[in-house]
Amino acid sequence: MDFKEELRQFAKRVDRLLPQIRTEEATKTSLVMPFLKILGYDVFDPFEVHPEFIADIGIKKGEKVDYAILREEKPVILIECKHYADGLDPHNSQLFRYFHTTEAKFGLLTNGVEYRFYTDLVTANKMDEKPFFEFKITDIKDNEIAELRKFHKSVFDLDSISTAASDLKYSNELTILVSGDMQHPSDEFVRYFTKQVYPSVVTAKILEQFTPLVKRVFAQIVNDQIAERLKSALKKETETEEQAVTPPSEPDALIVTTQDEIDGFLIVKSILRKDIEVGRIFMRDNQSYCGILLDDNNRKPLCRFYFTPNRLRIGLFDKDKKETKYELDRLDDIYRYAEQIAQAIANY
């Protein structure tokens, strides 16, 4: 069972377990420890997951954090647990106190259902007030699973996660900001777009005229993206039904197209939309990679996805069709290679 499926199965089990969990200790045993195990850590090895880790605070000795994940006998993640029915906000200060007394780079505050990851992006060695990453295990999304995968023991890298944490923190804040403006456009938001299309001075009256237009345009863009994904899903469902009539050969039966590959395909189409009719862009999955092709022609590859549960890579081609593979931290990193992907069109 891969990482994503393990999380999905665990999430289903959580709702069933909650009514039986009466104490904070039961929360740790039934929810937090299984979660750490899914991340690849041996919860029964104190050299890897140290329970009741001592984090002395000034003259106050013997202060303990619930768990510390260790690497080379040094803490890298401090974990503070609360009962699943407790809110997390009142307890931020407790983890905050522990953070600066150790070498740990990350703090995790959880009640077994909600998980909030913190680091020190604002001031070195001082835990930020806001988490850079948070999710609810009973409603975890694919993009959140991709971020959480970076904390898996098998791929954990302190430097890369620290860099990703900064991107994630600000991308989350931008998402909240842009989403708010899409629903209730501010004057500055409307003015920015209006100035791109309106040939004269943008007065208060013009702003009033363009505000509902801007809101309507963004709503239409979102609706179009949803419709395209539904169309892709329906097409896949139809293809699945057709394959059910004719049993697949053994090699085809081993091919599984993942949601990450479908999402990556949609990102490539959005990149190339301005350069070519999207109907000419095809996805053809194989056992070892997922190919994105021009005109469904194997001789015209645009890029290839090498996606596994613990690793995301993209293969790009130069004018001689020589392939180079690049690491991705998350699917949105595909946009970093927009120029190379578009150049593949020009090469053909």
Side-chain angles (χ1 to χ4, degrees):
M1 189 182 299
D2 66 14
F3 179 66
K4 182 186 293 187
E5 185 59 26
E6 277 194 274
L7 278 174
R8 296 293 188 196
Q9 292 296 328
F10 176 61
K12 292 178 182 177
R13 197 162 67 248
V14 168
D15 279 328
R16 181 172 56 83
L17 293 174
L18 293 184
Q20 300 300 319
I21 298 176
R22 310 293 185 188
T23 65
E24 185 177 303
E25 284 302 316
T27 300
K28 296 177 189 177
T29 303
S30 302
L31 301 180
V32 179
M33 289 175 67
F35 172 77
L36 296 178
K37 186 177 179 182
I38 292 173
L39 286 178
Y41 297 100
D42 185 350
V43 295
F44 301 109
D45 181 356
F47 291 100
E48 192 163 295
V49 179
H50 194 304
E52 298 295 308
F53 184 79
I54 295 176
D56 291 335
I57 304 173
I59 61 173
K60 192 174 182 179
K61 303 299 182 181
E63 286 289 309
K64 297 176 181 177
V65 65
D66 291 312
Y67 299 102
I69 293 179
L70 309 180
R71 291 175 68 89
E72 298 179 356
E73 301 184 2
K74 295 180 180 180
V76 290
I77 305 176
L78 299 181
I79 304 171
E80 181 68 12
C81 308
K82 300 301 171 186
H83 183 261
Y84 83 88
D86 290 345
L88 296 182
D89 290 336
H91 304 292
N92 280 357
S93 59
Q94 192 170 358
L95 189 60
F96 185 90
R97 291 199 308 271
Y98 295 151
F99 189 87
H100 78 278
T101 67
T102 74
E103 299 177 62
K105 186 65 176 177
F106 300 101
L108 170 58
L109 182 63
T110 181
N111 57 15
V113 177
E114 295 181 59
Y115 291 81
R116 299 180 182 179
F117 288 82
Y118 298 82
T119 188
D120 56 349
L121 295 173
V122 177
T123 304
N125 301 318
K126 181 180 179 182
M127 195 180 86
D128 298 335
E129 294 184 6
K130 294 181 179 180
F132 69 87
F133 175 47
E134 58 184 311
F135 65 89
K136 190 174 182 180
I137 191 66
T138 52
D139 188 30
I140 190 167
K141 301 172 179 60
D142 284 350
N143 65 304
E144 293 170 339
I145 292 176
E147 295 298 334
L148 182 60
R149 183 186 286 129
K150 297 171 186 174
F151 286 90
H152 195 281
K153 177 185 173 182
S154 63
V155 296
F156 186 92
D157 180 79
L158 193 61
D159 292 334
S160 63
I161 295 180
S162 297
T163 300
S166 177
D167 291 344
L168 192 59
K169 169 184 169 65
Y170 295 116
S171 65
N172 286 340
E173 292 182 3
L174 286 170
T175 297
I176 294 171
L177 179 64
V178 173
S179 296
D181 269 324
M182 287 172 63
Q183 295 295 321
H184 306 286
S186 63
D187 287 350
E188 293 79 6
F189 189 76
V190 176
R191 187 184 303 276
Y192 173 79
F193 290 102
T194 303
K195 287 172 65 176
Q196 315 301 315
V197 297
Y198 189 71
S200 189
V201 177
V202 180
T203 62
K205 185 176 181 180
I206 295 300
L207 275 180
E208 184 179 354
Q209 175 189 345
F210 271 80
T211 295
L213 292 178
V214 170
K215 183 176 180 180
R216 192 185 313 149
V217 166
F218 273 95
Q220 186 61 52
I221 290 172
V222 172
N223 289 337
D224 287 347
Q225 290 177 337
I226 293 173
E228 185 172 341
R229 293 197 64 171
L230 286 173
K231 183 178 178 181
S232 176
L234 288 171
K235 179 181 178 182
K236 181 174 176 59
E237 184 177 339
T238 301
E239 290 173 349
T240 302
E241 291 174 352
E242 291 173 351
Q243 291 171 0
V245 176
T246 304
S249 61
E250 185 63 25
D252 289 340
L254 298 175
I255 297 172
V256 178
T257 301
T258 67
Q259 185 61 49
D260 283 346
E261 290 169 340
I262 294 172
D263 292 344
F265 175 50
L266 293 174
I267 290 174
V268 171
K269 290 210 293 185
S270 71
I271 289 172
L272 297 177
R273 181 181 296 275
K274 66 181 184 300
D275 300 314
I276 195 171
E277 174 60 44
V278 293
R280 295 181 63 191
I281 304 170
F282 290 79
M283 177 173 68
R284 190 182 297 184
D285 209 356
N286 297 280
Q287 289 186 42
S288 57
Y289 65 85
C290 178
I292 309 301
L293 309 173
L294 178 63
D295 299 329
D296 203 18
N297 188 336
N298 270 330
R299 297 183 178 180
K300 297 181 179 180
L302 300 177
C303 64
R304 288 177 178 172
F305 300 146
Y306 299 86
F307 294 170
T308 66
N310 295 319
R311 193 179 188 187
L312 301 174
R313 291 181 298 162
I314 185 172
L316 301 175
F317 298 86
D318 61 19
K319 62 181 180 180
D320 298 320
K321 294 186 180 179
K322 180 181 177 182
E323 183 182 14
T324 303
K325 297 175 184 177
Y326 300 88
E327 298 285 341
L328 304 174
D329 289 328
R330 56 186 182 275
L331 288 179
D332 280 354
D333 287 351
I334 294 173
Y335 284 108
R336 295 182 181 178
Y337 303 99
E339 289 187 10
Q340 291 103 307
I341 295 172
Q343 183 59 42
I345 292 288
N347 291 340
Y348 303 130

